[in-house]
Amino acid sequence: MNSEILDPYTGRSAINETPNGLSLEVPARKKPLQLIFLGVWLCMWALGWFSAFGTLLTGAAGFAGFFILFWLVAWTVGGLWAIGIFGWMAIGREIITFNTQGINIARKLGPFSRHWNCGAAHISELRTTEQPASSMFSNQMPLTFMSGATHGTLKFDYGNRTLGFGLELETGEAKEILKLLLTRYPHLNKAKTS
């Protein structure tokens, strides 16, 4: 029986020096079974959507058209949610830039992105947190891409808010990144002042 020795220092992230500061890039976790399932589901979703829309356009539904319209709205919302999850797993990434001015968090999904700029004067207590384990169909990460900057394995206080980044980082890798950041930018770990 062959066994492979795992490299304990292989991580998901890439850290680079840029003109704007230290850049941390974390790609979304690729989960093949979820991608296949969602890809097939989205094909079925599209068939159902076009079929219902065609029925409404032709007027063949009659009085049932109200039900089909309601169903079509709900079906559209569910499909857009699934497209977001599929897109995040396929091409999503998080880019965090650190410098003396603060932290910039960017979550990118192809041409779409969300950005949060946090000034260093209001950042305190940079730390790691335990992320709940995700199973095949309980992955929370795609939803957090759409919801805001409160999630992640690395957290910090920003005034009265707690923000986070590193959605797809393992806790061990997050601890190593934290050590690097605190060596380079010790002001990010100052105690919170009231």
Side-chain angles (χ1 to χ4, degrees), residues 26-40:
V26 185
R29 190 175 304 276
K30 310 286 187 264
K31 294 187 175 184
L33 291 178
Q34 280 182 314
L35 281 168
I36 291 168
F37 174 81
L38 280 174
V40 170

Side-chain angles (χ1 to χ4, degrees), residues 10 19 27 71-72 89 109 121 124 129 133 143 154 163 171 185:
T10 300
W71 179 87
L72 193 59
M89 282 193 292
L109 180 60
S124 60
T129 60
L143 297 178
L154 288 152
L163 302 179
T171 305
Y185 305 107

Side-chain angles (χ1 to χ4, degrees), residues 154-176:
L154 288 152
K155 300 242 185 211
F156 62 94
D157 292 332
Y158 189 64
N160 292 331
R161 300 176 66 190
T162 300
L163 302 179
F165 58 91
L167 294 177
E168 304 278 356
L169 288 176
E170 298 282 339
T171 305
E173 184 177 3
K175 288 178 181 179
E176 291 302 313

Side-chain angles (χ1 to χ4, degrees), residues 113-193:
S113 64
R114 295 189 71 185
H115 294 266
W116 296 271
N117 288 310
C118 305
H122 305 287
I123 296 172
S124 60
E125 298 182 21
L126 182 62
R127 61 199 179 271
T128 60
T129 60
E130 291 288 329
Q131 291 288 65
S134 63
S135 66
M136 184 173 154
F137 290 105
S138 68
N139 187 359
Q140 298 283 322
M141 295 307 124
L143 297 178
T144 57
F145 162 76
M146 296 181 256
S147 67
T150 58
H151 304 279
T153 309
L154 288 152
K155 300 242 185 211
F156 62 94
D157 292 332
Y158 189 64
N160 292 331
R161 300 176 66 190
T162 300
L163 302 179
F165 58 91
L167 294 177
E168 304 278 356
L169 288 176
E170 298 282 339
T171 305
E173 184 177 3
K175 288 178 181 179
E176 291 302 313
I177 291 168
L178 179 63
K179 286 180 199 174
L180 172 67
L181 292 176
L182 295 182
T183 301
R184 184 94 179 255
Y185 305 107
H187 64 284
L188 297 178
N189 197 36
K190 66 181 181 276
K192 189 174 182 178
T193 57

